[in-house]
Amino acid sequence: MALDDASAEFHDFFERHHAELARLAHLLTGEADTADDLAADAFVALWHRWDRVRGADHPVAYARGVVTNMARARIRALTRERRRIHLFWATLPGRAHHPDVDAVVDVRRALARLPFRKRACVVLRHALDLSEKDTALALGTSVGTVKSQTSKGMAELQRILGAQAAEELSGTRN
């Protein structure tokens, strides 16, 4: 395939899936600006591997996996940075122990309180309305793991939000 054909094909893929992948990144990270950056970075990575991506059985699932992995890496990096800042302030002489104000202020909404794997399963299944199979493809895991993590994630959301709010989130309201 000529470069122009590959470019056109990639451009079409970008146009069709950018909004979905940016929304996925936003739901996983809880940060709109970070989501835009992650989506852009994911498309750069996809372009560099475009021959492999377009040859995949499920190119969109591959792209979702790239976004999910980038979001996981971003969350881990932020967690490490918070720990370093906390350790720095905790070891200063003459300072009384104070709670990490940034962490207290930055209390995330219920979805962000879920562990990453559960959050990813809940977001892909309920926010993006993917099937269990497509969610498993995006996360590189089994359908059984998706079922288990989604169920556990929804149970935690029910505990955090209350049953009515969790039902509204999942669209299973009677």
Side-chain angles (χ1 to χ4, degrees):
M1 177 177 276
L3 182 59
D4 289 337
D5 292 341
S7 294
E9 186 180 353
F10 180 79
H11 180 75
D12 182 54
F13 183 85
F14 175 88
E15 290 294 324
R16 283 183 292 137
H17 301 290
H18 178 266
E20 173 193 346
L21 295 177
R23 188 173 66 237
L24 170 61
H26 184 240
L27 290 168
L28 292 175
T29 65
E31 301 170 354
D33 292 338
T34 299
D36 290 340
D37 292 344
L38 284 175
D41 291 346
F43 276 104
V44 168
L46 292 169
W47 172 248
H48 287 296
R49 296 184 217 119
W50 185 242
D51 285 339
R52 185 182 325 158
V53 174
R54 66 186 174 95
D57 290 337
H58 304 283
V60 176
Y62 187 100
R64 289 179 189 130
V66 170
V67 170
T68 301
N69 289 333
M70 288 181 160
R72 178 184 301 120
R74 166 81 176 159
I75 291 167
R76 286 180 177 163
L78 289 173
T79 301
R80 284 191 303 270
E81 182 66 19
R82 267 212 182 119
R83 285 184 191 139
R84 284 193 294 269
I85 291 170
H86 178 73
L87 286 173
F88 171 78
W89 287 108
T91 59
L92 285 179
R95 289 212 24 123
H97 178 68
H98 295 288
D100 182 355
V101 175
D102 288 338
V104 172
V105 171
D106 194 278
V107 174
R108 299 201 180 252
R109 297 192 186 271
L111 188 59
R113 290 175 57 184
L114 296 178
F116 186 82
R117 178 67 63 166
K118 290 177 188 171
R119 182 180 344 146
C121 288
V122 168
V123 166
L124 290 168
R125 290 282 294 125
H126 295 291
L128 295 183
D129 202 27
L130 294 184
S131 68
E132 291 165 343
K133 180 181 176 184
D134 288 341
T135 300
L137 281 169
L139 297 175
T141 189
S142 70
V143 171
T145 298
V146 169
K147 288 179 180 181
S148 169
Q149 293 296 295
T150 303
S151 175
K152 290 176 183 177
M154 290 306 296
E156 284 186 44
L157 285 176
Q158 277 188 321
R159 183 182 51 75
I160 295 166
L161 298 172
Q164 182 178 359
E167 287 172 359
E168 289 175 12
L169 177 67
S170 69
T172 59
R173 198 169 179 202
N174 294 337

